Every structure is written in C-alpha cells, then in structure tokens.
C-alpha cells in the first residue's frame, strides 16, 4: 500500500512540474470565425400599395431587390408600374372634373438599376443598413388627354367658363424617359431575414426632349411629376423585403495603413565621433 501511494505521489509531482514548465499565453487571439449571410433580398414598396388602396385616381406596384456583393456593397434594383390621372382645376366647377383646365392619364413601367453602399457598422449577426446609393432609371409610358379647356382672356362668348377643346384629345403612345437617381435610406431587420426599409430619392432627367405638337410629359412613372423649367424630381418608398440566404462569408478585416517609423533626430550637443 505504501509503495502505491509513493508511486502516485511521484506521478503528481511530475505532472505539476511539466505543466508549470509550459509558458502561459496571456494574450490569446480570438480564433472564432464570424460569418455573415449573403444572398438575394426581394420585396415590395408598401407606399404605392397604400396609395392605390386609398386613392381612386392611382394604381401602382413596385418590386424591390438587392444582392450582396461584398461586406458593404450591394447591387440594387427596382421594377414597377404606375397609372395616374391628374387634373388641374380652373374654372367655375373647381370641385369636379368638369372644372379642370385639363385632365390626363399617364400609364407605364420603369426599371432602376444601381448600387447601395452600407455605412453602418453592424454587431455580429446584424444585417441592418444605413446606405447611400445611385440608380440609372428608364421608363416607357403613354399619356392620354381626357379633357381640356382653351384658356382665353376674352370671355365674351364664355363668360362663366372656358371653351372646351376637342382637337388634341386622344392617347399618345411611345413615350420614354431616362434619369439618374441619388438614394439615401435604411433597412432594419425586424425578424430573422425580414427587413423593413425606407428611402428618399432625388432624380435628374437625362433625356427630356419635348414632343412636337403633342401633350407635354407632365408625369413620368417612377420619377413623379415634371414641371416646366426643371429637370429634378423627388420620390420615396417604404419597403418590406425578405432575405434568401445563399451562403455565408467571414467578415472582411479592415486593412491598417503601416506608417514608417520616424528617423531619430541627432542630438546637437553630442559631438561627432572621429573616424
């Protein structure tokens, strides 16, 4: 029995000694690999659906999507269709369509392609975005002049209202416009892979040629209203989208700039050494 305890004692001494001989690393590196979800995110614009439900003179649908290219860069696109009837009230019956100076309906489709850059630094597992981006947009549409009145300062023949015009009535097909768009927005993950987003947009028309002897383009699907003497338009959207994860990728480490160490300055009090 004594020999058994003696052997056990020597084994414990050897084990403790070997464990203390190994250096203790007080600055261990974190070897855990953090991966983020990459994939296709698709959804729809809620604002256009809401306006279509509450307003009789508008119907519209916009599908939104983006694909993650790098940690902060996304390929983005919007595809939509809008139909809107607009009237400008002027005359005796300003509260009805009969009092409109003109009344027209614009209907067409559009597509926007571009990129988004995420400026928000997420914690591990988050996919939120505060982004800036740009789009190239193109729209094809038609305009139909439903009714109009001839504005005339001479009210001798029509003292109560303006004369009704008939020559320019009809549908004008084959309209198209293109523009560039600057985008600022955010996307927040409210549930796993489910995102709510909002964005504001400023567009500038690239092609804005006025048709000769035809109705001017007063509304462009995807761009909004067009005013005389201005090439700018503003818009917004509120989207809900779902991320389809395709793969995971580890975070890309930020590259640190290595600055050269400054050379030591000579001490003026120190005498130069003899060669």
């Amino acid at each position: 029995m004594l020999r058994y305890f003696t052997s056990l004692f020597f084994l414990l001494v050897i084990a403790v000694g070997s464990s203390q001989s190994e250096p203790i690393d007080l600055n261990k590196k974190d070897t855990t690999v953090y991966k983020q979800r990459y994939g296709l995110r698709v959804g729809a614009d809620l604002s256009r659906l809401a306006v279509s439900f509450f307003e009789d003179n508008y119907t519209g649908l916009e599908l939104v999507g983006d694909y993650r290219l790098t940690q902060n860069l996304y390929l983005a696109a919007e595809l939509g269709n809008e139909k809107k009837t607009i009237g400008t009230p002027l005359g005796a019956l300003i509260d009805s369509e009969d009092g409109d100076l003109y009344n027209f309906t614009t209907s067409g489709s559009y597509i926007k392609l571009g990129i988004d850059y995420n400026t928000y630094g997420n914690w591990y597992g988050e996919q939120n975005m505060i982004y800036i981006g740009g789009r190239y947009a193109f729209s094809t549409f038609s305009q139909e002049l439903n009714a109009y009145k001839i504005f005339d300062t001479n009210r001798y023949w029509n003292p109560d209202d303006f004369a009704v015009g008939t020559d320019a009535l009809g549908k004008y097909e084959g309209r198209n416009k293109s523009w560039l768009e600057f985008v600022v927005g955010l996307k927040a993950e409210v549930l796993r892979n489910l995102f709510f987003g909002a964005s504001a947009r400023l567009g500038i028309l690239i092609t804005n040629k006025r048709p000769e002897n035809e109705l001017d383009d007063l509304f462009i699907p995807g761009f909004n209203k067009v005013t005389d003497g201005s090439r700018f338009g503003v818009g917004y959207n509120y989207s809900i989208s779902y991320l389809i994860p395709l793969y995971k990728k580890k975070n890309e480490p930020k590259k640190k700039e290595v600055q050269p160490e400054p050379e030591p300055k000579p001490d003026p009090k120190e005498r130069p050494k003899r060669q």
Side-chain angles (χ1 to χ4, degrees):
M1 183 65 69
L2 180 61
R3 183 178 299 176
Y4 171 76
F5 283 110
T6 303
S7 301
L8 182 60
F9 175 76
F10 278 109
L11 289 175
L12 291 174
V13 171
I14 294 172
V16 172
S18 61
S19 63
Q20 291 181 349
S21 61
E22 296 179 0
I24 300 175
D25 188 4
L26 299 178
N27 298 318
K28 291 185 177 180
K29 296 182 179 180
D30 186 6
T31 59
T32 305
V33 178
Y34 298 101
K35 292 186 176 182
Q36 294 182 339
R37 289 162 284 164
Y38 282 67
L40 178 65
R41 180 164 40 198
V42 293
D45 178 18
L46 298 177
S47 61
R48 284 173 170 79
L49 294 176
V51 175
S52 300
F53 180 79
F54 289 106
E55 292 188 10
D56 297 332
N57 62 348
Y58 176 86
T59 55
L61 174 66
E62 180 179 279
L63 303 178
V64 300
D66 61 48
Y67 181 80
R68 191 174 189 180
L69 298 175
T70 65
Q71 184 170 328
N72 295 316
L73 191 63
Y74 294 75
L75 180 65
E78 291 89 24
L79 175 66
N81 181 277
E82 287 185 308
K83 181 178 181 181
K84 187 176 180 65
T85 299
I86 299 176
T88 299
L90 181 65
L93 304 175
I94 61 174
D95 294 331
S96 67
E97 293 184 2
D98 295 335
D100 289 343
L101 179 63
Y102 55 85
N103 182 281
F104 67 94
T105 300
T106 301
S107 178
S109 303
Y110 61 91
I111 185 171
K112 304 177 182 181
L113 298 172
I115 58 173
D116 290 332
Y117 182 81
N118 185 18
T119 63
Y120 180 75
N122 287 293
W123 292 91
Y124 172 67
E126 291 183 341
Q127 295 279 108
N128 302 320
M129 293 179 64
I130 299 177
Y131 63 91
I132 57 175
R135 304 282 189 276
Y136 171 77
F138 182 80
S139 176
T140 59
F141 57 97
S142 65
Q143 286 199 123
E144 182 175 3
L145 184 59
N146 304 314
Y148 72 97
K149 296 179 181 179
I150 301 173
F151 184 83
D152 189 0
T153 57
N154 185 4
R155 306 298 297 276
Y156 180 80
W157 298 106
N158 296 280
D160 298 329
D161 206 347
F162 297 101
V164 177
T166 58
D167 294 340
L169 294 179
K171 194 171 186 178
Y172 300 88
E173 303 275 3
R175 303 295 182 89
N176 59 78
K177 299 287 184 182
S178 62
W179 65 94
L180 295 177
E181 201 169 76
F182 175 71
V183 186
V184 177
L186 60 88
K187 290 180 181 178
E189 188 174 16
V190 293
L191 295 173
R192 180 71 173 181
N193 295 329
L194 185 66
F195 293 82
F196 176 79
S199 68
R201 295 152 184 270
L202 175 64
I204 178 171
L205 287 171
I206 300 176
T207 57
N208 190 28
K209 185 178 180 181
R210 291 178 177 270
E212 296 181 1
N213 301 323
E214 291 186 7
L215 178 67
D216 291 340
D217 296 326
L218 303 176
F219 181 85
I220 302 173
F223 183 82
N224 215 330
K225 293 181 180 180
V226 182
T227 58
D228 292 336
S230 177
R231 301 168 65 91
F232 293 92
V234 294
Y236 64 92
N237 75 350
Y238 299 97
S239 63
I240 186 168
S241 56
Y242 184 81
L243 173 65
I244 304 173
L246 300 179
Y247 62 95
K248 288 186 177 182
K249 185 178 178 181
K250 68 178 181 179
N251 291 356
E252 299 174 1
K254 295 183 179 180
K255 295 181 180 180
K256 295 183 178 180
E257 296 182 358
V258 180
Q259 298 181 354
E261 296 182 359
E263 297 182 358
K265 296 181 180 180
D267 189 357
K269 296 181 179 180
E270 183 179 354
R271 294 181 180 179
K273 296 181 179 180
R274 296 180 180 179
Q275 298 290 336

